[in-house]
Amino acid sequence: MPQLIESASVIQAAGNKPKRIEEYAGRVNSRHQQISIARMVSPEGWQEPGQRPEFEEITLVLRGALRVEYEGGQLDVAAGQAVFAKPGEWVRYSSPKPGGAEYIAVCLPAFSPDTVHRDDA
C-alpha cells in the first residue's frame, strides 16, 4: 500500500541568513537512505558555504533564481530550469537576486551532514 507523507520535517540550514528546508523524504522525515527530496525557500542575499558532497544533487527552481558557483564559473538557474551537480564536484549555492528563490532539491543517496563536506567557515 502506498504511504502518505503527511508533512515535512523542517531542518536547520547552513548559510548567512535563515533558509527554510522542508524535507519530505530523506534521512530525517521518512528514514530514506537512498534519496532525499526537500522544498527550500531562501531569502534574497542568502549564501551557504561551498561543499563537495558525496551525493548527486538535482535542483529544480520553482520561483526566483538560484546561483550555483562551481570550480571555474557560475550558473544562474531561473524558475522552470534545473541543474545537477555530480558527487565530488565543488559547488556553492546562493540566492543573490531580489525575491530570493524557492526550489526542490533531490539528493541521491539522501543528504547527510556527514557526506556534504562543507568548506571550513
Side-chain angles (χ1 to χ4, degrees):
M1 172 174 136
Q3 279 188 307
L4 176 66
I5 299 173
E6 292 186 19
S7 62
S9 291
V10 177
I11 298 173
Q12 175 91 24
N16 64 330
K17 291 184 171 187
K19 174 178 91 165
R20 184 167 179 88
I21 300 176
E22 299 169 352
E23 181 188 274
Y24 285 87
R27 296 176 193 270
V28 175
N29 199 54
S30 64
R31 306 293 181 248
H32 282 87
Q33 303 294 309
Q34 295 306 311
I35 189 169
S36 58
I37 302 171
R39 175 180 172 261
M40 317 245 192
V41 180
S42 58
E44 177 181 338
W46 167 82
Q47 65 181 12
E48 68 181 0
Q51 59 193 35
R52 194 176 297 275
E54 295 177 24
F55 47 82
E56 179 176 24
E57 186 164 13
I58 304 157
T59 306
L60 169 63
V61 178
L62 304 173
R63 180 185 55 77
L66 188 68
R67 177 161 293 156
V68 182
E69 294 174 62
Y70 59 92
E71 290 176 320
Q74 69 182 29
L75 297 168
D76 284 338
V77 186
Q81 296 180 325
V83 63
F84 74 92
K86 297 174 188 170
E89 184 172 32
W90 182 86
V91 290
R92 184 169 101 162
Y93 299 97
S94 63
S95 52
K97 296 190 176 188
E102 177 182 358
Y103 53 101
I104 302 292
V106 177
C107 298
L108 300 161
F111 176 91
S112 166
D114 296 331
T115 62
V116 71
H117 305 297
R118 294 198 194 281
D119 294 347
D120 293 330

